[in-house]
Every structure is written in structure tokens, then in C-alpha cells.
């Protein structure tokens, strides 16, 4: 063991000499990125504005199946009966979410008793009254929530999604 300590000490001393510092400096110079010449582009994506339903079509705590931003993206509209974050409409209680689990893409089902969307795959649960916040399970993000607008006629339009939908490589549609 004494031999090992001597070798380690010699190694440390060599690293702190000019040769060691030069090697470390060269490594740092290679790792540091060059200064960006163009500013990064904004990650803002324009989603299509799509009419999903009318407020008269919704009943409290009765989910309505929809699709957004395209036909391959199943989702749900909900009138929760209490004002919530991201809630649209005259009562601020209409929300919409993707129903594809952000973990591995299983289809979610709505549980009226606690207003959650639940995954049969690995049991992740998402709170619809808290913006799709994950409350249990394997997923690593909250449930993507629709950005909704209700017009003067009561039509409900989806105009965006606040998280990446499972299976998409980016928010670019
Ligand atoms: Fe939903 Fe795994 S697919 S928790």
C-alpha cells in the first residue's frame, strides 16, 4: 500500500506542474463551445385554432372525447364545475387535455370521483383541477393541457398545448 501512496503523490505533483496544467487547459479549450454567432430561435409554435365544441354541449363532470391538434391526437374536454387554472368559459371551469399518457402512450381514462385522468399502463394519475399535474406514477411530465378560448357564441376553440404530446418529436406539428 505504501508503494501505491507514493505513486499517487507523484501523479498529483505531476498534474500540478506545467505539463499537467497544459494538458488540462487544452482539454478545457476543446470542450468549451464557440460563441454563438446567431441568436437562438424562439421555440414558439403556432398551433391550429380548432373548434372543439360549444359550452352547451358540456355537462359538469361528464368528459367529451375530442382530438387536438390533429385527428391522431386524442383528448378530452371537461367542465369541472369549479373555477380552475387554465379554465375557460364563463365559469372558468372548462379544460382540455391530451388523453395519451406522457410516460409510454397508453390511453388515459377519466375518473369522475376525483376528477383525474388515469393510466392503465403503469398507473400514472393526473389532476384535471390542477392543470394536469401528475399526482402519482411513472410519467416524467404533467399532462399536456389545451389552451382554450370561448367566443361570444360559446364555441370552444383549442389554440395550443402547454407540453409536448407523447410520441411527438417536438411541438412542431
Ligand atoms: Fe402511463 Fe406508463 S404509460 S404510466
Amino acid at each position: 500500500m505504501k508503494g501505491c501512496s507514493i505513486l499517487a503523490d507523484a501523479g498529483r505533483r505531476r498534474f500540478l506542474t506545467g505539463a499537467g496544467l497544459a494538458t488540462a487547459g487544452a482539454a478545457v479549450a476543446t470542450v468549451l463551445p464557440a460563441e454563438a454567432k446567431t441568436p437562438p430561435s424562439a421555440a414558439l409554435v403556432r398551433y391550429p385554432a380548432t373548434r372543439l365544441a360549444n359550452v352547451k354541449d358540456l355537462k359538469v363532470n361528464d368528459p367529451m372525447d375530442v382530438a387536438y391538434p390533429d385527428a391522431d391526437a386524442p383528448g378530452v374536454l371537461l367542465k369541472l364545475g369549479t373555477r380552475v387554472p387554465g379554465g375557460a368559459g364563463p365559469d372558468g371551469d372548462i379544460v382540455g387535455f391530451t388523453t395519451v399518457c406522457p410516460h409510454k402512450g397508453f390511453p388515459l381514462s377519466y375518473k369522475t370521483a376525483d376528477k383525474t385522468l388515469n393510466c392503465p399502463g403503469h398507473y400514472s394519475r393526473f389532476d384535471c383541477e390542477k392543470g394536469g399535474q401528475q399526482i402519482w406514477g411513472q410519467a416524467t411530465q404533467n399532462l399536456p393541457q389545451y389552451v382554450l378560448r370561448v367566443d361570444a357564441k360559446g364555441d370552444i376553440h383549442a389554440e395550443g398545448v402547454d407540453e409536448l404530446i407523447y410520441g411527438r418529436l417536438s411541438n412542431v406539428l
Side-chain angles (χ1 to χ4, degrees):
M1 291 305 288
K2 189 178 175 197
C4 281
S5 301
I6 291 168
L7 281 175
D9 276 353
R12 262 185 238 120
R13 273 196 300 276
R14 186 165 187 286
F15 181 79
L16 293 173
T17 64
L21 288 176
T23 308
V28 168
T30 343
V31 170
L32 289 176
E35 189 177 332
K37 295 203 169 34
T38 54
S41 61
L44 181 66
V45 174
R46 297 249 174 251
Y47 281 88
T50 305
R51 180 193 177 278
L52 298 179
N54 187 279
V55 292
K56 292 182 191 142
D57 302 328
L58 296 174
K59 296 188 187 97
V60 172
N61 213 14
D62 186 8
M64 169 185 277
D65 291 338
V66 294
Y68 185 77
D70 55 44
D72 295 326
V76 67
L77 268 187
L78 293 159
K79 180 172 174 60
L80 295 170
T82 51
R83 187 170 294 273
V84 292
D91 304 321
D93 65 343
I94 298 172
V95 291
F97 297 95
T98 177
T99 50
V100 180
C101 182
H103 179 222
K104 288 193 175 179
F106 278 63
L108 304 175
S109 59
Y110 184 67
K111 190 171 164 192
T112 56
D114 60 4
K115 298 177 181 169
T116 57
L117 281 159
N118 298 268
C119 181
H122 312 97
Y123 312 114
S124 284
R125 308 182 68 230
F126 305 92
D127 190 337
C128 297
E129 292 183 307
K130 295 207 168 77
Q133 183 178 35
Q134 183 182 342
I135 50 178
W136 201 88
Q138 306 271 342
T140 54
Q141 70 172 56
N142 295 333
L143 196 59
Q145 181 171 11
Y146 298 164
V147 177
L148 297 178
R149 176 179 62 84
V150 177
D151 67 20
K153 291 184 290 183
D155 287 335
I156 304 163
H157 304 267
E159 299 185 327
V161 180
D162 71 350
E163 298 260 9
L164 187 62
I165 294 174
Y166 178 82
R168 309 283 166 133
L169 295 176
S170 73
N171 279 334
V172 179
L173 302 176

